[in-house]
Amino acid sequence: AQSVTQPDIHITVSEGASLELRCNYSYGATPYLFWYVQSPGQGLQLLLKYFSGDTLVQGIKGFEAEFKRSQSSFNLRKPSVHWSDAAEYFCALGTYKYIFGTGTRLKVLA
Amino acid sequence: NAGVTQTPKFQVLKTGQSMTLQCAQDMNHNSMYWYRQDPGMGLRLIYYSASEGTTDKGEVPNGYNVSRLNKREFSLRLESAAPSQTSVYFCASSENEGRNEQYFGPGTRLTVT
């Protein structure tokens, strides 16, 4: 079955600290993977995407993600978090339609 | 270039009332989607339209109908609203279905009392 799991519902980090948000997927073929961010009261904005090729992909706002086929993972990272990064983050698997994870809400401490 | 627009932004309905949520995109995309977002459940697909003239059910279609009016517009109708349909509704579009980036509207917050 096709699925996306985001194991962490909430994560709290201090401003300036590094961040890693986890995403695991289940899919039989080469996955198309996406990370979206949703600020409060807003729609979703694409951070980055993986289709093929280089397994480390760069996105907007200083985010990057690494695709690891052996671990069925596509974790999102940022070296130094800013207060404005506080939001909800969604991982998605693109097959003939999207499958979203349940999201991880990030809180940033000043 | 407005992207994806949705109307209204907020709506309160009484149980049994009907309403239509409107969505339009100006990116010449072929595919359009309706999602609902509920706390702790992420986004769930209600209906989608892979191309003009086609619509298909998603994960949670019960209680909803859709119309792909033309390439730009994709509306979602609640015929008889129920409290369980209280949610935030998002419309999205993509160049083609599935594997392309989706562009989201700002959402409609619907409360059914």
Side-chain angles (χ1 to χ4, degrees):
Chain A
Q2 301 157 9
S3 65
V4 175
T5 302
Q6 293 181 247
D8 305 304
I9 298 173
H10 297 279
I11 282 187
T12 300
V13 299
S14 297
E15 191 170 19
S18 62
L19 172 69
E20 183 169 32
L21 302 182
R22 295 184 291 164
C23 173
N24 294 99
Y25 69 91
S26 174
Y27 186 58
T30 300
Y32 285 45
L33 294 162
F34 306 83
W35 273 101
Y36 286 82
V37 60
Q38 183 182 30
S39 298
Q42 304 294 316
L44 279 71
Q45 179 185 22
L46 181 72
L47 284 175
L48 47 80
K49 58 190 176 186
Y50 171 78
F51 286 173
S52 65
D54 194 347
T55 57
L56 185 63
V57 293
Q58 303 296 321
I60 63 171
K61 306 185 181 190
F63 285 91
E64 66 179 26
E66 186 171 13
F67 172 66
K68 293 185 177 180
R69 184 185 298 275
S70 62
Q71 298 178 18
S72 298
S73 69
F74 187 55
N75 294 347
L76 182 71
R77 302 194 294 243
K78 188 170 184 178
S80 177
V81 170
H82 188 263
W83 64 266
S84 61
D85 293 324
E88 191 157 21
Y89 292 80
F90 292 93
C91 182
L93 169 67
T95 61
Y96 71 97
K97 55 188 177 187
Y98 267 33
I99 299 171
F100 280 93
T102 51
T104 297
R105 187 172 297 277
L106 174 66
K107 182 177 179 179
V108 180
L109 300 177
Chain B
N1 196 349
V4 179
T5 57
Q6 292 182 236
T7 55
K9 291 197 173 194
F10 302 93
Q11 184 72 48
V12 178
L13 291 178
K14 295 187 187 303
T15 297
Q17 288 184 319
S18 63
M19 79 161 295
T20 300
L21 281 64
Q22 306 287 355
C23 173
Q25 53 92 7
D26 62 2
M27 295 173 282
N28 201 36
H29 285 168
N30 289 308
S31 301
M32 298 185 73
Y33 313 83
W34 277 105
Y35 295 91
R36 60 178 289 173
Q37 184 179 28
D38 302 292
M41 304 192 75
L43 278 82
R44 293 182 292 169
L45 183 65
I46 305 171
Y47 271 93
Y48 68 101
S49 171
S51 61
E52 185 179 358
T54 69
T55 59
D56 280 292
K57 295 178 181 179
E59 183 183 354
V60 289
N62 291 346
Y64 306 94
N65 285 301
V66 291
S67 296
R68 183 76 182 266
L69 304 169
N70 48 55
K71 192 170 185 179
R72 290 187 62 249
E73 298 172 288
F74 189 39
S75 63
L76 178 72
R77 182 160 179 84
L78 288 69
E79 292 289 353
S80 179
S84 60
Q85 294 178 303
T86 294
S87 188
V88 181
Y89 292 85
F90 288 99
C91 178
S93 71
S94 64
E95 187 172 343
N96 291 296
E97 65 178 317
R99 297 184 167 190
N100 297 110
E101 173 184 354
Q102 293 191 10
Y103 295 79
F104 285 81
T108 296
R109 185 174 294 274
L110 175 67
T111 302
V112 183
T113 61

